[in-house]
Amino acid sequence: MLANFKMHFARIFFFVFLIFSAACTRITTTELGAGLIPVVDGVNTFDTIMELQTDTFNESDTTRIYNANNMVIGAISNDPIFGTTQAELNFELKPSFYPFKVPGTKDSLVVDSAVLILSYKGYYGDSTQPLNVAVHEISPTTPLDPFYNYPVNFPTVKPVSTIGTLSNTISLDIRTLGDSVKNRFENANNQIRIPLRMDVARRFLKDYDSTNAYLNDSAFQSYFKGFSVKVQSSNPANALLYVNLLDTNTKLALYYNTSTTGATVRDTSVIYFKFNSAFGGYANFVTRNTTGAEISNRITTTSRPDSLVYVQSAPGTYVRIRVPGLQNLSNRIVHRAELIAEQVPDDNNIMTLDRYFQAPRLLLLSAFDSAKNQKRSIPNDYIVGSSGPNTVDFGGFRTFKTINGYDRVAAYNFVISRYVQGIVTRKDSSFTLRLSAPSNDSLNYFPPFPNNFVSQMYYLSPAQGNELANGRVRLGGGSHSRFRMRLRIVYSRI
């Protein structure tokens, strides 16, 4: 009996001890970075918020697109925050060999139709509004140069003009573009199909042959300069479509029927012209216009700290960030330093604008080296390994949170603890920072300390960033009252 009482008392004592121990756990002023703080008696952690100065700039660097990337066609005409966007795609589709001949006898050939087919890869914007597009012919005065990489955001550097249309204007219902196409010649989905006029079909099937246009590549280029797909500006649109030239879904389909033997039985056939990755010219132009939009009053060319800042996916805008007090921060142990940027929702159109024109999937935080006039990696925190940059640990991917009564607010966090530690301990340089939404981009990469003396250019692709022109976000700046951008530092005194 006594033994049982003692055992029962011991259990009660142990349970009370656990409750007491839990109640006496040290409470610091923040839980941010608590997992990094060693369990040592007498170590007090603190946190501080560093004041930031922020402003918005137009990206003046050239944006490039490569033939393996998804390209963009479309228009955004109703975005009161960021303005309008126009995107056109110019490209060549050619026979797979020369001299090329349409099978069958030319005299017996009967033209059926011609269809321009584009491989559909998705959209950005409002899919409920139709997109009205037409196919144009590139002018002989501005042929595409297959060995020149056209700048996306500077169409006037080497312009591409057109001489007329090859199709009627068609209305694309974006919501149906992923549907399957099943007929005698196609069993596919994700196709944009644009019928060309009958005179265009006759031109490719009857007028051109192996004695003229189809003799060789140079001859074909002299007869036909390529296709230009544009949105008709007279019809408001609010979406961008993404297509891929190298995908097998992209082709010019020429339908015809002929008699190969002189017999009375005829049969419909099809031939395809496709994009040549080695010798095919292309130019994807994206034109931004901020006139009359909210952002036009915020873009600056000088130092003008602002409470609202704007990031638009390339080609677009970036945010400059300065931390005036960082260089003079006293020596300390930095457990965690985190730059936090949050979207400022649109109060008037929260169910439309923020829903359709979503924030970029990834933002890049970089440093700007004014001595070399180039972007560089954030020292010691942005690390490039064999599989690419450490974006998961460093930060930049879009997340969503509930803030100040708003649901699904886009937010971006960047961990720059080692960068800040280097400034306070070794007196490393405190750089002006940049926040951008890159597509194809580059920055000067420096390995972490102590191997940070030799750098190399690191090239980012849309896989490490965003699709061209996909995403825009209005962020709280360093002085915003509710969605303030901030650098939060958790530290211990030495």
Side-chain angles (χ1 to χ4, degrees):
M1 176 73 115
L2 181 60
N4 289 338
F5 174 79
K6 288 181 178 180
M7 182 176 295
H8 182 64
F9 177 80
R11 289 174 178 170
I12 294 174
F13 177 81
F14 181 72
F15 181 73
V16 172
F17 175 78
L18 286 178
I19 296 176
F20 180 80
S21 298
C24 291
T25 299
R26 180 187 303 278
I27 304 298
T28 63
T29 55
T30 180
E31 292 183 7
L32 180 65
L36 303 177
I37 303 171
V39 183
V40 179
D41 287 341
V43 174
N44 292 299
T45 59
F46 306 89
D47 71 273
T48 185
I49 301 294
M50 302 295 296
E51 297 295 328
L52 308 180
Q53 295 179 357
T54 56
D55 39 19
T56 304
F57 287 81
N58 270 322
E59 182 61 77
S60 58
D61 290 347
T62 298
T63 299
R64 302 287 185 182
I65 191 80
Y66 302 100
N67 61 21
N69 299 152
N70 291 338
M71 301 187 190
V72 60
I73 303 166
I76 292 175
S77 58
N78 184 26
D79 183 354
I81 296 179
F82 279 78
T84 64
T85 298
Q86 288 282 337
E88 68 174 71
L89 179 58
N90 309 278
F91 56 96
E92 296 177 307
L93 300 178
K94 301 179 180 181
S96 57
F97 60 89
Y98 297 100
F100 177 77
K101 184 179 184 299
V102 178
T105 58
K106 187 173 182 179
D107 291 342
S108 68
L109 187 147
V110 176
V111 175
D112 187 332
S113 60
V115 181
L116 179 62
I117 306 172
L118 300 174
S119 175
Y120 172 64
K121 296 297 183 180
Y123 76 95
Y124 174 77
D126 183 2
S127 65
T128 65
Q129 297 188 37
L131 206 59
N132 298 293
V133 303
V135 182
H136 301 253
E137 182 176 356
I138 295 175
S139 170
T141 62
T142 58
L144 291 171
D145 183 348
F147 304 107
Y148 179 73
N149 191 255
Y150 289 77
V152 169
N153 49 337
F154 294 105
T156 58
V157 170
K158 196 169 183 177
V160 177
S161 57
T162 57
I163 57 173
T165 60
L166 300 174
S167 75
N168 297 322
T169 298
I170 69 165
S171 181
L172 298 176
D173 185 344
I174 300 173
R175 296 167 296 183
T176 66
L177 293 180
D179 293 350
S180 298
V181 176
K182 293 185 179 181
N183 55 42
R184 179 179 172 185
F185 302 103
E186 295 283 345
N187 184 7
N189 55 13
N190 296 313
Q191 288 187 346
I192 300 173
R193 301 176 66 88
I194 308 175
L196 304 184
R197 292 196 312 269
M198 185 58 71
D199 63 294
V200 178
R202 283 195 296 267
R203 180 176 168 188
F204 281 100
L205 287 167
K206 295 282 280 187
D207 298 345
Y208 294 169
D209 60 34
S210 58
T211 67
N212 49 52
Y214 296 149
L215 179 62
N216 52 48
D217 189 67
S218 297
F220 183 67
Q221 285 184 313
S222 68
Y223 276 79
F224 184 73
K225 303 303 180 184
F227 301 95
S228 179
V229 182
K230 303 179 182 181
V231 171
Q232 301 308 101
S233 58
S234 59
N235 298 290
N238 238 17
L240 304 176
L241 304 182
Y242 291 88
V243 301
N244 191 285
L245 293 180
L246 289 181
D247 192 280
T248 55
N249 261 349
T250 294
K251 52 205 169 187
L252 170 64
L254 300 169
Y255 299 95
Y256 66 98
N257 68 76
T258 185
S259 173
T260 59
T261 62
T264 57
V265 177
R266 306 176 66 88
D267 195 13
T268 300
S269 300
V270 62
I271 56 175
Y272 297 119
F273 291 178
K274 296 188 176 183
F275 183 77
N276 187 310
S277 61
F279 303 106
Y282 66 94
N284 196 186
F285 296 133
V286 177
T287 303
R288 307 283 202 183
N289 188 345
T290 61
T291 302
E294 178 185 308
I295 189 177
S296 63
N297 298 317
R298 303 285 186 167
I299 296 175
T300 184
T301 57
T302 59
S303 175
R304 190 180 70 182
D306 204 344
S307 62
L308 288 172
V309 289
Y310 303 75
V311 181
Q312 189 175 39
S313 294
T317 59
Y318 69 88
V319 173
R320 183 177 66 174
I321 304 170
R322 289 166 292 173
V323 194
L326 192 56
Q327 192 71 63
N328 299 321
L329 203 64
S330 62
N331 197 12
R332 61 193 67 192
I333 298 173
V334 177
H335 298 296
R336 188 175 179 89
E338 189 170 24
L339 183 81
I340 304 167
E342 296 165 344
Q343 178 185 25
V344 178
D346 184 58
D347 288 321
N348 297 322
N349 299 282
I350 191 167
M351 293 305 293
T352 55
L353 290 183
D354 293 340
R355 175 184 170 188
Y356 296 135
F357 305 128
Q358 293 195 14
R361 80 176 192 100
L362 183 137
L363 296 187
L364 173 68
L365 182 67
S366 58
F368 185 74
D369 189 339
S370 57
K372 296 182 178 180
N373 194 34
Q374 64 182 201
K375 287 180 292 189
R376 56 158 293 168
S377 57
I378 297 293
N380 306 315
D381 284 302
Y382 188 88
I383 301 173
V384 176
S386 58
S387 58
N390 64 331
T391 308
V392 173
D393 295 325
F394 175 71
F397 281 116
R398 177 189 62 201
T399 60
F400 294 100
K401 59 173 73 170
T402 299
I403 309 175
N404 298 326
Y406 292 93
D407 293 328
R408 202 171 168 77
V409 175
Y412 302 87
N413 291 44
F414 302 88
V415 179
I416 54 175
S417 309
R418 295 177 179 86
Y419 167 61
V420 173
Q421 187 70 74
I423 294 172
V424 301
T425 302
R426 298 186 300 270
K427 300 304 177 184
D428 292 347
S429 296
S430 175
F431 291 99
T432 296
L433 306 180
R434 285 192 176 188
L435 197 56
S436 60
S439 184
N440 286 305
D441 203 354
S442 63
L443 75 164
N444 200 15
Y445 172 66
F446 287 81
F449 178 86
N451 303 312
N452 58 334
F453 298 104
V454 179
S455 66
Q456 62 182 7
M457 291 304 296
Y458 180 70
Y459 296 92
L460 296 94
S461 72
Q464 289 104 31
N466 307 276
E467 298 279 17
L468 184 69
N470 192 319
R472 93 311 183 258
V473 62
R474 176 179 59 184
L475 300 169
S479 59
H480 198 273
S481 59
R482 293 185 296 168
F483 301 92
R484 180 171 54 143
M485 190 183 299
R486 56 206 181 272
L487 173 59
R488 190 177 189 184
I489 303 176
V490 178
Y491 67 95
S492 296
R493 295 192 179 102
I494 295 179

